[in-house]
Amino acid sequence: MDQRRAESDFLPASTPVTLYGEFSLTNNRRARCSVTLTERDLIVQRLASAPVGRNKVVLSLRDCVGCRAFREDDKADPSAYFAAYFYPLMKRRWMTSAPSRQRVERCFRLATLQDPHANLEEAEKWARAVRERSARQQRLRDGLLWNSLPRPCRLMLFVNPQSGKGHALTLYNSHIQRMLNEAGVIPTLIITERQNHAREHVKEADLSQWDALVIMSGDGLLHEVINGLLERPDWEEAIRTPLGILPGGSGNALAASVHYYSGISQVRGEELLVSCGFLLCRGLVSPMDLVSLHLSPGHRLFSFLSLAWGFVADVDVESEKYRHTGAARFTVGTLVRLASLRIYKGKLAYLPASRGCNKDKGVQNRAAACCTNPAPRLKPSSAPSRPLEGDSCPNNTCHSNNSLKLRRTEGRSPRSAARDLPGPPDTLLPPLDQPLPSDWVLVPEEDFVLMLAMYQSHLAEDLLAAPDARLDDGVIHLFYVTAGISRSALLRLFLTMEKGAHLDTNCQHLVHTKVRALRLEPGSGKGIITVDGEVVEYGPMQAEVHGGLGRVISG
């Protein structure tokens, strides 16, 4: 079902009336204010003799995550209260950085009547109106209302306490727990204890008990969850479960991408966490592309972020030793790898996005199986990856403790194994050991510094690798850098990538193209390939994008 529906399907027949009331403030009962609730804003006006502009606060309902009514424990006090919670974009006065979301709470006291139940009923009327109108404002985009999570919302929330600097659980307790309570979200916390803990859990869980699955960690834990969902017998329904991401690791690429898609200036660290928490509380759900990857006959996994070979993969894995520095590990790793830059032998081919979008499944399958004029099959080069001058360790690699153990389908032919794997069928890929169709493009170069396939905008919090990417654009953004680039030019590419300006550097060794499928056959010898930042089996592989297969909470 399309996540976007016509506005007329959701909006009431008549515009809600403006609510008006006069209340005292909880922190100063002598101070009174008027409160006006329109369809778009909550307007608070202090009732005082000072000029109007100085005492007037306008809070947009788009920034509201929740509102509740309550009474205090004092039975002698008939008062009732309603509190509204906002996270507007604000700029800190003493800083020149981009605006970030800051918490604003407004709590009002109602004591008009001596009947406590009547006061509470009036407070609940206001709280309900604030929630309903803020939900409409947040779901409305360009005349369409987007689907959102129900309220109250039941979340299964995975936290990896070892991710990043090891502060994920502390950050959850200090920032996210309060936000979820304010938004009426009911989380069930699961602390992961080992590799593939989350993967195993979602494979067996009764997903009907949950409205969404949320991950607070780096990108690796989400990779586990997605593959666990797609390994279920009911994968077609399971993969439609909305997924949420809260940054708690070193890279936090998808969290940075979701924040970027919201149209807000780039932020990092705890400011990014608060922004993603706000988007989670809003609960808007969008489709997200997933990519199917075949690493050898009978081996398949799914990816939501990236596929890397060469320089980027080396930095990702070799920088694990600097994990205690947080996101700075990638900067340190980049400088270390630049000092001993390598060249990687291999062959790369791809199906351009313009050629893959209109293919009928049957036509594509026939083309894959019996193309009358196939492109020559890629054969692995016999030469291993070799260092540039000054690299004394041409084959040294750092093996990640997050490397994936892939499932093997024993005793079956490649074709039958591929058919029997769970998940959607691949319609653009021939078997990995078969020639490619003639409409694929074979890259003429065979000496590379890096190959990077991206399906989201960010490679890390501070690396805007694919500024044109969107959650469900249906393409893979393929980048590769050929041999011959200088160290200074490569460093300049990564420095300008912080703002997404690397494509404007006119580097003759950098190629960017949009594709729907690709095949990589690295040369023999040692090397590293990563999928979503996780090390996978080194060898030939191919990938195909599945547009809108997953669902993500995007705010």
Side-chain angles (χ1 to χ4, degrees), residues 40 60-64 134 137-138 140-141 278 282:
R40 293 180 173 83
S60 172
L61 294 179
R62 285 182 175 271
D63 298 327
C64 179
S134 63
Q137 288 302 310
Q138 291 165 8
L140 184 61
R141 290 185 186 177
F278 170 77
R282 283 176 56 162

Side-chain angles (χ1 to χ4, degrees), residues 239-315:
I239 197 58
R240 297 176 67 85
T241 304
L243 304 174
I245 184 70
L246 295 168
S250 301
N252 303 318
L254 183 62
S257 298
V258 169
H259 171 87
Y260 173 73
Y261 302 143
S262 72
I264 308 301
S265 301
Q266 179 173 299
V267 293
R268 303 176 190 172
E270 292 186 24
E271 291 182 343
L272 177 61
L273 175 61
V274 172
S275 174
C276 290
F278 170 77
L279 297 175
L280 174 62
C281 290
R282 283 176 56 162
L284 301 188
V285 179
S286 302
M288 178 174 69
D289 295 341
L290 297 178
V291 170
S292 167
L293 292 119
H294 295 255
L295 283 83
S296 62
H299 295 205
R300 185 166 76 149
L301 56 84
F302 287 85
S303 168
F304 67 92
L305 179 66
S306 65
L307 162 67
W309 171 60
F311 184 89
V312 172
D314 288 355
V315 168

Side-chain angles (χ1 to χ4, degrees), residues 348 350 450 452-456 465-469 473 475-482 500 502-504 507-515:
L348 177 64
Y350 59 85
L450 67 86
L452 175 65
M454 294 288 302
Y455 349 121
Q456 304 301 334
D468 293 337
D473 55 12
V475 298
I476 298 171
H477 294 259
L478 176 62
F479 302 84
Y480 59 89
V481 174
T482 56
H502 52 293
L503 298 177
D504 300 326
C507 175
Q508 62 179 349
H509 296 282
L510 171 65
V511 177
H512 168 232
T513 186
K514 297 178 182 180
V515 309

